[in-house]
Amino acid sequence: MTEYNDPAVRYYQEVFDQCIHYLSIDGVIFGFHQNQLKVLLLRWKGTDAWSLPGGFIRKAESVDVAAQRIMQERTGLDALYLQQFHVFGEAVRYDQEATWRKINLPVDGAKWSERTISLGYYALVEHSKVIPTPDFLTEVCAWWSLDDVPALLFDHNHIIAVALLSLRKDFNDQPLNHLLPDTFTIPELQRLHETILGLSLDGRNFYKKVMASGQLERLSERRAGTPHKAPFLYRFKPSEPTNRLPTLEAKTA
Amino acid sequence: MTEYNDPAVRYYQEVFDQCIHYLSIDGVIFGFHQNQLKVLLLRWKGTDAWSLPGGFIRKAESVDVAAQRIMQERTGLDALYLQQFHVFGEAVRYDQEATWRKINLPVDGAKWSERTISLGYYALVEHSKVIPTPDFLTEVCAWWSLDDVPALLFDHNHIIAVALLSLRKDFNDQPLNHLLPDTFTIPELQRLHETILGLSLDGRNFYKKVMASGQLERLSERRAGTPHKAPFLYRFKPSEPTNRLPTLEAKTA
DNA sequence: CCAAAAGTGTTTTCCATACACCCATGA
DNA sequence: TCATGGGTGTATGGAAAACACTTTTGG
């Protein structure tokens, strides 16, 4: 266990110099595929240990910009829909020594053994557009179905759980356009809602509700290549206000 | 403007040594008095500039514990009801140079000119129990009615606005026991709801709703010394679960 | 006795839920 | 033709909103 990963040590040295100490960002990137809610995870080099994507904030960088940067690098996507959802600030969040061992870092290194406060962000992305890209310390970046997520490094299982609760709390009854492709069918939208809420909905009532919201428009085409009746395609009306929460506007008096 | 406040500089040196850099906590302490929602503000020594209470996180201290500590020092209260509501992480949150000038700090001092990311907490406290206490840098700690809050230092007007929106979003229809004394009348509770929500409610419907919640019990006494009909006193049933939001419980798999 | 606030009812409206049927398609 | 999922209706129940009257007290 004393075979230190030298490039990793150098990487941390760089982070130590350029970024804010004691502070990190962890990202829960949600995608929806095959009727399942998925998250993007990273496998660390030379290990079978997985974690959430994350990173650090540069000294003169906005926190939101840092989050965008970090998530962009893992997904290849611009202008992600990001939501800050919780600060994980306990003095002891996980067993640091055991964790450094799992990812082959020197246990006694002072640099990375600082306690970190993590700012939790979740992203809603269109699954098919993502190009999963590992970072410097990892060798695999892949989607995991929420139900199958293994035991992760750090307190990342906890972070995912909190992210999911926040997502449920936030989205209420608004359609989740960021998780879907431009066009989709009503049953697909219903599966998405069911998956996030963790319950099953009545298709008739669901249809009425989303139609009543006035945010969808039906296209003339139908989904081709499915068995059974071909469902209509819909899309979110472009002119409508997005379902992003209203921006908190309040300026100094 | 070059009369530097030496003790202040020393204070910042201490903070610089013991606390996490680039990170601070700002607290919006809400109280309710005379049918008005109020916040606790501090006036800086030798100035007429006001700000929110705030402070820094020690290197091995939980963020929530730090917030408790900071708020306790300003209120004299233990075990405050605190809610983390937003991270203010823009790279430039306000005009630093102008601000340092207002509070008589050397404009070119490197120590306190670091950009800070602020973790916003709001507290709900019983107005009458608070002993407003200034800190080392301030000479007055006082309640301000939300409607009268002056132009504050930093971006604190903005932080208050966001705190209020978060409070409205969080509390939904739950009674706000932390803001009220042990006993209170239904009309008083109604005023509180109206003040926070910024709208007026129907007394009859309000009465039915809070009674239906089953969380209140009527005492035999009535509020004395009021003009007109004396209203009954109520209190929250002690055995009932508190109206604190359910703790986010989710452990590592 | 009158003004002002407290205390409680009934009616109506609306939204969420429950539920049933026909349609289109591939096998 | 039948199994499967798509698409749309109608009925019902419960909560929220609208609304009116009596009671108590100080002046």
Side-chain angles (χ1 to χ4, degrees):
Chain A
M1 282 304 161
T2 37
E3 288 185 38
Y4 300 152
N5 192 334
D6 250 50
V9 172
R10 279 204 307 278
Y11 171 86
Y12 273 110
Q13 184 63 50
E14 258 187 57
V15 165
F16 189 78
D17 292 341
Q18 297 177 8
C19 293
I20 295 176
H21 296 188
Y22 294 93
L23 199 55
S24 67
I25 286 176
D26 282 313
V28 182
I29 300 172
F30 286 112
F32 186 66
H33 186 56
Q34 292 176 335
N35 292 336
Q36 290 191 306
L37 202 57
K38 311 205 166 179
V39 291
L40 209 54
L41 298 178
L42 296 161
R43 200 184 75 207
W44 288 59
K45 282 178 181 168
T47 74
D48 58 355
W50 293 76
S51 78
L52 288 172
F56 297 91
I57 301 156
R58 299 197 181 123
K59 288 183 181 171
E61 182 183 39
S62 275
V63 171
D64 286 347
V65 170
Q68 280 283 346
R69 171 177 56 78
I70 291 162
M71 313 287 190
Q72 271 172 24
E73 287 170 359
R74 300 300 129 253
T75 60
L77 295 181
D78 273 354
L80 292 127
Y81 176 78
L82 277 181
Q83 205 71 33
Q84 184 192 105
F85 69 92
H86 191 71
V87 176
F88 298 89
E90 292 78 44
V92 178
R93 287 169 49 208
Y94 50 87
D95 182 338
Q96 288 197 322
E97 195 172 312
T99 303
W100 304 155
R101 237 186 280 277
K102 282 183 202 156
I103 57 178
N104 299 324
L105 282 178
V107 166
D108 54 352
K111 302 276 188 292
W112 44 84
S113 69
E114 280 172 357
R115 150 275 182 109
T116 53
I117 295 162
S118 186
L119 310 182
Y121 279 79
Y122 66 75
L124 304 183
V125 302
E126 189 186 325
H127 183 280
S128 67
K129 286 201 178 152
V130 171
I131 303 163
T133 310
D135 63 17
F136 183 80
L137 298 164
T138 57
E139 58 191 357
V140 179
C141 181
W143 290 106
W144 283 75
S145 189
L146 262 189
D147 303 322
D148 305 333
V149 169
L152 303 176
L153 292 167
F154 319 107
D155 56 351
H156 285 186
N157 294 88
H158 178 228
I159 290 179
I160 290 177
V162 177
L164 183 57
L165 289 177
S166 304
L167 176 57
R168 280 185 192 162
K169 196 154 112 55
D170 289 349
F171 102 120
N172 280 329
D173 39 9
Q174 339 208 0
L176 299 164
N177 43 6
H178 302 281
L179 285 166
L180 290 171
D182 291 337
T183 64
F184 50 88
T185 69
I186 300 297
E188 284 163 6
L189 181 60
Q190 183 180 342
R191 301 294 137 58
L192 173 57
H193 279 240
E194 290 175 335
T195 305
I196 290 179
L197 294 175
L199 42 84
S200 71
L201 302 171
D202 181 285
R204 299 161 287 198
N205 295 330
F206 183 80
Y207 179 82
K208 268 182 300 184
K209 192 157 139 179
V210 295
M211 282 301 115
S213 82
Q215 294 185 71
L216 298 183
E217 63 181 3
R218 182 199 276 185
L219 307 181
S220 47
E221 313 106 87
R222 293 160 180 264
R223 167 79 73 227
T226 76
H228 318 304
K229 185 169 177 177
F232 281 104
L233 288 173
Y234 290 75
R235 72 165 166 219
F236 286 96
K237 287 185 191 166
S239 58
E240 286 297 315
T242 73
N243 75 354
R244 187 173 301 225
L245 291 177
T247 316
L248 298 171
E249 258 329 311
K251 284 295 120 195
T252 299
Chain B
M1 281 303 162
T2 37
E3 288 185 37
Y4 299 151
N5 192 335
D6 250 50
V9 173
R10 280 204 306 279
Y11 170 87
Y12 273 111
Q13 185 64 49
E14 258 187 56
V15 165
F16 190 79
D17 292 342
Q18 297 175 9
C19 293
I20 295 175
H21 296 189
Y22 294 92
L23 200 55
S24 67
I25 286 176
D26 283 312
V28 182
I29 300 172
F30 285 113
F32 187 66
H33 187 55
Q34 293 175 334
N35 290 338
Q36 291 191 302
L37 203 56
K38 310 204 166 181
V39 291
L40 209 54
L41 298 177
L42 296 162
R43 200 184 76 207
W44 287 59
K45 280 179 182 167
T47 77
D48 57 355
W50 295 77
S51 79
L52 288 172
F56 298 90
I57 302 155
R58 298 197 182 121
K59 288 183 180 171
E61 183 183 40
S62 276
V63 172
D64 286 346
V65 170
Q68 280 283 346
R69 170 176 57 76
I70 292 162
M71 314 286 190
Q72 271 171 23
E73 286 170 1
R74 299 301 128 249
T75 60
L77 296 181
D78 273 355
L80 291 128
Y81 177 78
L82 276 182
Q83 206 72 32
Q84 185 192 106
F85 69 91
H86 191 73
V87 177
F88 298 90
E90 292 77 44
V92 178
R93 286 169 50 207
Y94 49 89
D95 182 336
Q96 288 197 323
E97 194 173 314
T99 303
W100 302 157
R101 238 187 279 280
K102 282 184 203 157
I103 57 179
N104 299 325
L105 282 177
V107 166
D108 54 351
K111 302 276 188 290
W112 43 86
S113 69
E114 279 172 358
R115 148 279 181 111
T116 54
I117 294 163
S118 186
L119 310 182
Y121 278 80
Y122 66 77
L124 304 183
V125 302
E126 188 186 326
H127 182 279
S128 66
K129 286 201 178 150
V130 171
I131 302 165
T133 310
D135 63 19
F136 183 80
L137 298 164
T138 58
E139 57 191 358
V140 179
C141 180
W143 289 108
W144 283 75
S145 188
L146 264 189
D147 303 323
D148 305 333
V149 169
L152 303 177
L153 293 166
F154 318 107
D155 55 351
H156 286 186
N157 294 88
H158 177 230
I159 291 178
I160 291 177
V162 177
L164 182 59
L165 288 177
S166 304
L167 175 58
R168 279 186 194 163
K169 197 154 111 58
D170 289 350
F171 101 123
N172 279 331
D173 39 8
Q174 338 206 2
L176 299 163
N177 44 5
H178 303 281
L179 284 166
L180 290 170
D182 291 337
T183 65
F184 51 87
T185 69
I186 299 297
E188 285 164 4
L189 181 60
Q190 184 180 340
R191 301 294 138 59
L192 173 56
H193 280 241
E194 289 175 334
T195 305
I196 291 179
L197 294 175
L199 42 84
S200 70
L201 303 170
D202 181 285
R204 299 160 286 195
N205 294 330
F206 183 80
Y207 179 82
K208 267 183 299 183
K209 191 155 139 180
V210 295
M211 282 301 115
S213 82
Q215 293 185 71
L216 297 183
E217 63 184 3
R218 181 199 276 185
L219 308 182
S220 47
E221 311 107 89
R222 292 161 180 265
R223 166 80 71 226
T226 78
H228 317 304
K229 185 168 178 177
F232 281 103
L233 289 172
Y234 289 76
R235 72 166 165 220
F236 286 95
K237 287 184 191 168
S239 57
E240 287 297 317
T242 74
N243 74 357
R244 188 171 300 224
L245 291 177
T247 317
L248 297 171
E249 258 330 310
K251 283 296 121 192
T252 298

